[in-house]
């Protein structure tokens, strides 16, 4: 099969690239290794970091690309790809917010995530599924109508130094296939669901138990495919890990994890039965390093039966069919059956079950509860704001075994601002583009060491567009990406 633009991976960057390339008149073919299209994008929260939007203005929020850039660079710990960060931020209003809206995406809500001076995490209606399906429909209408599921790319075909196609495995038919194209856009996502690769590329994590936590297709196949033709990867050791996660008891390999939500009132205790952190800071740049400093690097979230009513699980298996509302029967079964969830009528009993030193948990919970009961604004140990929080009081009590979960890659394939893959001399490899999480969301490491949230999917969509436009130009379609920046 031949195409002008061959896109490998049907997630956020892939669908955006398909819209862009087909919209410019290119013949597009998309390959997807899984049976279902959509990748991490379609199971994600869908939140995008967007700046200077009508939704922000409606809520009286004053934001600007300069303010967002300053937050971004500060939070990234000196490691952001700043040219790409600026390029992305300045294009979020016209080329992401409005662009997606014009293709059927409704931006319905806003949150302020850690590290942001103002709320800019925009939630689309029906989360990532709503967003991805709207964009997929837009891609079909633009003429990108060849989407081959269960087709895994295995290598790139080059001719005289130019990439001219892809070797793949048709997983349904069990046979090798080849595709020829003028340009190839790799959008295969990250490797946060490949524990072997995590330990290989992130040696500092080898001493810890890490859970796999992205989409099942996030196995790092694209990284190896690009490296095999000389593409450079960078910041591969930077992973975005979440702490509010427990092992998935349904995974016979014992490797996958589940993100637990809805228990913001819980306290976290370490293996000594002591609190060690302000639990309201639970993000990848706050909660995770705090737990990684513990021996061992895990903790138990302690909650009571009232708080337990709020538990939800960030995984499609735990959602009601066709929505992101939780399926409480499945969540209840998890709470009853997982060996990483313990329950007892007394705190002492709970403490014994999880092997904490005698008396430590009762003392820790008592001290925390008394801060709330005395009406303190903040707990004196870790500065947690206590307004609206309830004491941990109503039995049965629960303990959830939190282990670090790899959700997103912050590093990846190095590209220029056209998303061309660069070789070790930082020269573009002709005919080869990379976007999305494979490219550290954009350019190799747009987030540096920490992301402001919404800075994974947003840049993946945007870089997918940029790659699709320049790949189409290689085939004589259009003039590349020319976005309208949001500048005064
Ligand atoms: C549960 C969850 C929630 C998230 N929520 C948010 C959020 O709210 N905001 C945010 O900014 N980010 C979020 N993220 C991260 C975000 O979804 C991803 O960073 C983004 O989807 C990356 O887009 P992508 O196109 O690069 O990769 P993906 O969307 O993962 O798509 C990659 C596709 O490539 C396919 N593929 C892999 N290898 C091959 C191969 N060899 N051949 C063919 N196809 C292949 C995969 O199967 C997959 O379908 C979340 C991630 C998860 C897992």
């Amino acid at each position: 099969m031949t195409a002008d633009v061959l896109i490998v991976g049907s997630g956020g960057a892939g669908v955006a690239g398909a819209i862009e390339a087909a919209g410019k008149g290119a013949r597009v073919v998309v390959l997807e290794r899984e049976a279902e299209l959509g990748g991490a994008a379609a199971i994600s929260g869908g939140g995008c970091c967007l700046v200077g939007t009508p939704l922000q203005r409606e809520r009286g929020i004053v934001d600007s690309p300069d303010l967002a850039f300053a937050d971004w660079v500060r939070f990234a710990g000196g490691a952001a790809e700043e040219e790409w960060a600026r390029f992305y931020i300045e294009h979020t209003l016209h080329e992401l917010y409005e662009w997606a809206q014009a293709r059927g995406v409704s931006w319905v809500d806003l949150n302020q995530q850690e590290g942001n001076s103002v709320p800019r995490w925009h939630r689309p209606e029906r989360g990532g599924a709503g967003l991805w399906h709207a964009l997929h429909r837009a891609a079909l209408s633009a003429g990108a109508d060849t989407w081959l599921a269960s087709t895994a790319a295995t290598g790139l075909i080059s001719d005289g130094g130019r990439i001219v196609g892809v070797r793949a495995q048709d997983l349904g038919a069990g046979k090798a296939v080849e595709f020829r194209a003028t340009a190839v856009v790799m959008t295969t996502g990250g490797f946060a669901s490949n524990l072997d690769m995590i330990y290989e590329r992130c040696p500092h994590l080898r001493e810890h138990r890490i859970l796999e936590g992205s989409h099942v297709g996030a196995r790092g196949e694209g990284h190896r495919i690009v490296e095999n033709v000389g593409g450079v990867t960078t910041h591969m050791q930077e992973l975005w890990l979440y702490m509010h996660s427990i092992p998935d008891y349904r995974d016979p390999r014992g490797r996958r994890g589940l993100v637990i939500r809805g228990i913001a009132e819980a306290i976290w205790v370490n293996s000594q039965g002591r609190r060690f952190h302000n639990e309201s800071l639970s993000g990848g740049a706050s909660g995770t390093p705090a737990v990684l400093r513990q021996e061992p690097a895990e903790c138990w979230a302690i909650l009571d039966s009232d708080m337990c009513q709020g538990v939800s699980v960030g995984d499609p298996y735990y959602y009601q069919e066709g929505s992101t509302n939780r399926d409480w029967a499945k969540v209840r079964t998890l709470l009853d059956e997982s060996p990483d969830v313990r329950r007892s009528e007394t705190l002492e009993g709970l403490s014994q079950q999880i092997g904490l030193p005698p008396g430590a948990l009762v003392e820790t919970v008592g001290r925390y509860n008394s801060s709330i009961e005395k009406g303190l604004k903040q707990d004196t140990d870790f500065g947690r704001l206590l307004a609206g929080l309830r004491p941990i009081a109503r039995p049965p009590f629960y303990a959830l075994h939190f282990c670090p979960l790899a959700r997103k890659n912050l590093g990846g394939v190095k590209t220029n601002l056209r998303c061309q893959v660069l070789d070790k001399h930082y020269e573009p490899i002709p005919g080869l583009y990379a976007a999305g999480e494979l490219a550290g969301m954009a350019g190799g490491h747009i987030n540096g060491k920490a992301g402001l949230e919404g800075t994974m999917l947003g840049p993946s969509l945007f870089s997918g567009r940029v790659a699709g436009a320049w790949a189409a130009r290689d085939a004589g379609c259009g003039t590349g990406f020319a976005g309208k920046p949001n500048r005064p």
Side-chain angles (χ1 to χ4, degrees):
M1 185 180 272
T2 59
D4 293 325
V5 175
L6 188 69
I7 297 178
V8 184
S10 69
V15 75
I19 293 174
E20 200 66 29
K24 300 218 176 314
R27 285 174 304 125
V28 174
V29 171
V30 183
L31 310 185
E32 168 56 52
R33 85 170 322 284
E34 300 301 319
E36 215 169 304
L37 303 176
I43 60 165
S44 75
C48 292
C49 174
L50 307 171
V51 181
T53 66
L55 194 55
Q56 284 180 314
R57 283 198 295 279
E58 261 171 39
R59 309 241 172 133
I61 296 157
V62 180
D63 198 6
S64 71
D66 283 346
L67 182 63
F69 183 72
D71 286 353
W72 191 300
V73 169
R74 188 178 50 246
F75 207 59
E81 219 299 353
E82 293 186 14
E83 219 180 344
W84 257 103
R86 172 66 74 180
F87 186 36
Y88 168 70
I89 290 167
E90 288 206 349
H91 286 86
T92 54
L93 171 60
H94 303 297
E95 305 302 340
L96 194 41
Y97 184 96
E98 291 171 356
W99 174 84
Q101 206 167 39
R103 285 157 185 81
V105 174
S106 301
W107 302 106
V108 290
D109 206 1
L110 269 176
N111 276 345
Q112 182 162 356
Q113 306 281 5
E114 283 177 31
N116 291 275
S117 327
V118 297
R120 43 174 91 96
W121 189 91
H122 289 62
R123 184 171 65 78
E125 194 169 21
R126 293 203 311 111
L131 178 139
W132 185 86
H133 283 286
L135 295 182
H136 184 233
R137 283 191 295 275
L140 296 174
S141 329
D145 54 8
T146 309
W147 298 70
L148 305 177
S150 303
T151 308
T154 52
L156 291 161
I157 304 167
S158 53
D159 186 3
R162 185 178 178 90
I163 301 302
V164 294
V166 167
R167 276 187 294 278
Q169 191 68 19
D170 178 335
L171 300 174
K175 61 172 190 193
V177 276
E178 277 192 12
F179 299 86
R180 298 276 162 169
T182 308
V184 174
V185 181
M186 295 292 291
T187 61
T188 48
F191 61 86
S193 290
N194 180 342
L195 191 58
D196 297 327
M197 190 160 170
I198 290 172
Y199 286 144
E200 177 196 327
R201 302 298 176 107
C202 314
H204 63 290
L205 295 176
R206 281 182 199 155
E207 62 187 286
H208 304 305
R209 178 180 186 191
I210 304 292
L211 303 174
E212 296 175 346
S214 186
H215 174 253
V216 287
R219 298 194 184 100
E221 289 171 3
H223 298 78
R224 295 187 198 278
I225 290 172
V226 170
E227 284 172 340
N228 283 343
V229 295
V232 164
T233 50
T234 182
H235 293 67
M236 292 285 274
Q237 73 284 4
E238 303 297 349
L239 274 188
W240 197 229
L241 301 165
Y242 287 145
M243 265 326 302
H244 36 97
S245 345
I246 62 172
D248 181 355
Y249 76 110
R250 296 171 62 247
D251 175 15
R253 303 168 313 137
R255 288 182 161 212
R256 276 199 75 76
L258 300 168
V259 167
I260 304 295
R261 300 212 177 96
I263 52 166
E265 287 186 82
I267 59 166
W268 298 2
V269 301
N270 59 18
S271 303
Q272 292 75 50
R274 305 287 173 206
R275 285 179 71 220
F276 52 91
H277 179 62
N278 172 356
E279 296 87 350
S280 53
L281 298 173
S282 61
S286 54
T288 304
V291 179
L292 289 181
R293 283 194 293 272
Q294 307 305 305
E295 289 276 348
E298 44 194 66
C299 70
W300 293 88
I302 308 293
L303 53 153
D304 71 7
S305 64
D306 288 343
M307 297 167 188
C308 201
Q309 302 304 314
V311 173
S312 65
V313 182
D315 182 285
Y317 174 77
Y318 292 92
Y319 301 154
Q320 290 169 22
E321 185 86 34
S323 94
T324 48
N325 296 334
R326 69 177 179 173
D327 181 328
W328 177 241
K330 285 184 178 165
V331 174
R332 190 68 256 174
T333 306
L334 167 78
L335 294 174
D336 290 341
E337 295 191 1
S338 166
D340 290 288
V341 179
R342 303 293 171 87
R343 181 174 49 187
S344 171
E345 288 300 317
T346 65
L347 285 170
E348 200 47 74
L350 193 66
S351 171
Q352 271 169 17
Q353 282 194 38
I354 56 184
L356 301 181
L361 185 63
V362 172
E363 191 192 317
T364 299
V365 172
R367 184 175 167 83
Y368 174 75
N369 283 353
S370 77
S371 302
I372 297 179
E373 283 152 5
K374 281 185 211 152
L376 298 185
K377 278 196 178 138
Q378 250 178 324
D379 93 82
T380 46
D381 294 326
F382 301 102
R384 182 176 193 179
L385 294 176
L386 299 175
L389 298 185
R390 294 170 291 185
I392 298 168
R394 190 190 290 274
F397 300 99
Y398 287 82
L400 273 58
H401 184 201
F402 279 1
C403 297
L405 171 140
R407 190 63 132 187
K408 300 154 188 173
N409 287 94
L410 300 178
V413 172
K414 180 78 191 148
T415 76
N416 60 17
L417 287 179
R418 294 184 175 190
C419 292
Q420 289 175 291
V421 174
L422 302 181
D423 67 14
K424 65 182 178 189
H425 306 294
Y426 278 28
E427 295 289 345
I429 298 176
L432 184 59
Y433 296 79
E437 196 160 338
L438 169 68
M441 311 301 172
H445 54 109
I446 188 170
N447 284 286
K449 289 178 183 295
L452 293 170
E453 294 295 359
T455 55
M456 288 82 185
L457 184 58
S460 293
L461 295 168
F462 180 66
S463 62
R465 285 193 63 195
V466 172
W470 287 109
R473 195 189 76 147
D474 281 4
C477 302
T479 53
F481 182 82
K484 180 178 166 195
N486 176 15
R487 288 186 193 162

